[in-house]
Amino acid sequence: QVQLQESGPGLVKPSQTLSLTCTVSGGSISSGGYYWSWIRQHPGKGLEWIGYIYYSGSTYYNPSLKSRVTISVDTSKNQFSLKLSSVTAADTAVYYCARATNPDWFDPWGQGTLVTVSS
Amino acid sequence: QSVLTQPPSASGTPGQRVTISCSGSSSNIGSNYVYWYQQLPGTAPKLLIYRNNQRPSGVPDRFSGSKSGTSASLAISGLRSEDEADYYCAAWDDSLSVVVFGGGTKLTVL
């Protein structure tokens, strides 16, 4: 079955760019039919959808984050990535990658990675 | 403040039936499918219900979803201690053009 795993720095300084990668195993991003997504969860709070990318490179971002977000895909490595620029403490969260269908539902999810924004 | 409204907490005793509500509007629940996720302590969310009332394989039939108008509900029957978790509803919002989530309901099994 498909599994996803996030990786990247756990600590980012304010004003810098947060960069995370999601590695997909057990299935190919290139096979199509799914949207590869990023979702975050602020500590002790609810979920916020960040955006997604299709294997072709088409992207869609949450309008509230659009100016700072870039999602890219590397089909040769079966990975997709998130970059969030000009981060502040408000971007401290657990970041999840997930496979989306339609693309309004997410299954499966990665285990998540905590990113703390602090100097 | 979340676009979809859930009660912050719910509780029940083993064997009981509990329901968790999710209230939205015509631009989300009223016109799109509702999804439910279960987040066990310290883990990632897991899809529990899709397209209002469908269960992925492996999800016990103790879990059921329903939708009426601009509201949805998750019902858990035969409550078990391992059901203690946070539960989130979600739906696409046509006005915001994003997936929106509820604030989550913490279920405690007494």
Side-chain angles (χ1 to χ4, degrees):
Chain A
Q1 71 281 20
V2 172
Q3 294 183 310
L4 296 87
Q5 176 71 58
E6 306 88 350
S7 59
L11 181 64
V12 181
K13 288 182 168 50
S15 80
Q16 293 191 341
T17 296
L18 177 160
S19 296
L20 295 174
T21 296
C22 182
T23 300
V24 179
S25 59
S28 173
I29 289 178
S30 299
S31 61
Y34 297 102
Y35 300 79
W36 303 93
S37 303
W38 289 97
I39 300 155
R40 69 181 181 179
Q41 184 171 33
H42 294 102
K45 296 192 177 180
L47 300 160
E48 180 181 29
W49 175 72
I50 298 171
Y52 66 70
I53 190 165
Y54 198 56
Y55 80 98
S56 61
S58 299
T59 55
Y60 189 81
Y61 304 136
N62 186 326
S64 69
L65 297 169
K66 185 176 180 179
S67 63
R68 299 194 293 129
V69 171
T70 302
I71 299 177
S72 58
V73 65
D74 186 337
T75 54
S76 67
K77 294 181 179 179
N78 220 29
Q79 296 176 332
F80 62 105
S81 299
L82 169 69
K83 291 188 185 300
L84 182 65
S85 63
S86 305
V87 297
T88 69
D91 294 309
T92 293
V94 175
Y95 286 76
Y96 296 99
C97 58
R99 185 183 70 175
T101 304
N102 285 339
D104 53 351
W105 46 289
F106 308 101
D107 178 56
W109 298 55
Q111 66 182 30
T113 187
L114 174 63
V115 178
T116 301
V117 179
S118 174
S119 55
Chain B
Q1 184 135 0
S2 302
V3 174
L4 303 181
T5 301
Q6 297 180 237
S9 64
S11 63
T13 56
Q16 263 191 330
R17 182 178 188 271
V18 298
T19 61
I20 297 171
S21 62
C22 177
S23 177
S25 68
S26 58
S27 65
N28 43 65
I29 293 178
S31 51
N32 295 295
Y33 289 118
V34 177
Y35 303 90
W36 290 91
Y37 299 90
Q38 177 193 57
Q39 187 173 32
L40 297 169
T43 70
K46 169 193 162 186
L47 181 68
L48 198 63
I49 297 288
Y50 67 100
R51 292 184 175 172
N52 300 335
N53 55 20
Q54 303 299 301
R55 283 186 309 277
S57 63
V59 173
D61 59 6
R62 302 186 296 107
F63 295 90
S64 62
S66 64
K67 175 184 133 173
S68 178
T70 59
S71 293
S73 292
L74 173 71
I76 309 171
S77 60
L79 197 62
R80 304 175 69 162
S81 57
E82 56 260 41
D83 298 334
E84 194 161 277
D86 293 326
Y87 292 86
Y88 294 90
C89 59
W92 181 263
D93 190 292
D94 292 331
S95 296
L96 299 173
S97 296
V98 297
V99 173
V100 292
F101 291 91
T105 298
K106 184 175 183 61
L107 175 64
T108 301
V109 181
L110 302 170

